Amino acid sequence: MSDDRILTVSGRRLGFILGAVVVVLVAVNVANKFGPPGTGLVAGPLVALGLLLLGRRAGLTWHDLGLSPRTLTRGSKYAAGAVLAVAVVYGIAAAVPATRPAFQDGRYDLHPSAVLETAFLVIPLGTVLLEEVAFRGVLHGLVNRHRGAVWASVVSSVLFGMWHILPSLGLADANQAIGAAVGGGTTGRVLAVAGAVAFTALAGLLLCELRRRSGSLLAAAALHWATNGMGLLVGAALATVHFA
C-alpha cells in the first residue's frame, strides 16, 4: 500500500472520529442549554468518560490525551502556578473600581450555599471536566497525532470558541460591564456572542499551550477552573460589599 493511500485512509478515519466527537458535543451543548437543571452535572462526567474511551479506541495513548502519570508532577506544578496567577489578577481587578463591574454577572446571583456548590461541584464536574477532556484531551490528541501541534491547537480552540455560542446568548443582559460595552438590542447581543466566541477561542489557545508545556491536562483544567470558579467566588463576595 502506498504512503498516499495510508494518508487517505488515516484522513478519512480522523474526519469520521472528529465528526462523531463534534456531534456528541453539540448534543450535550443543546441539552445543557435547554434541558432540566443539573443536566450538565450528570452528562459532563458521563460524556467525558465516553470521549476518553473513544479516544483510546482511536489509538490515542494516555500521553496523547494529556493524562499520562509521568507528567502528573509537572502538571501539578503548572496547575498550582495557574491558580495562584488567576487569584492575584482577580484580586487586583476586584480592588480597582474600573474593573470591578466585570464580576457583576446576573447569572451568578446565587445564595451562598449555591455559590459554593457551583464553584466546587458544578463547574469542576459539569464544565471543566468535559471541556478539558473533549477539547484539550481527545480533539487535541487526535489532530496532534495526525496533523501536528499547531493544527491541534487551532482546531480545538476554534471549536472551543463555537461551543460557547449557546451559553453566551444572554451575556449582554446578564453582565453589566459587557452590556455597557456592546449596547442593547439585537446588535448588542450579537456583538456579545461574537466577543465571547473570540475570547474563548483565544483562551483555548492559551489552555492548549499550557497543556503542551506541562504535558498534562491537569494544568489546563486548573487554569480553566480558576478562571470560572474563582470569578464566581469573587463576584459573590463583591455582591455582599457596599462600596462608597
Side-chain angles (χ1 to χ4, degrees), residues 24-25 27-29 31-32 36-51 125-127 129-131 163:
V24 170
L25 290 176
V28 173
N29 206 346
N32 286 343
T39 296
L41 190 57
V42 175
L46 292 177
V47 174
L49 177 60
L51 291 178
L125 294 181
T127 300
L129 177 62
L130 172 59
E131 292 182 2
W163 164 266

Side-chain angles (χ1 to χ4, degrees), residues 62-80 82 132-133 135-137 140 206-224:
W62 291 119
H63 181 74
D64 291 330
L65 293 166
L67 296 172
S68 172
R70 293 176 298 171
T71 59
L72 182 60
T73 300
R74 183 176 177 83
S76 299
K77 293 178 180 178
Y78 271 87
E132 291 308 316
V133 167
F135 294 101
R136 261 70 62 183
H140 187 282
L206 174 61
L207 292 169
C208 285
E209 180 61 15
L210 188 59
R211 179 229 194 278
R212 185 189 70 82
R213 287 178 178 270
S214 67
S216 174
L217 209 58
L218 179 62
L223 178 58
H224 194 163

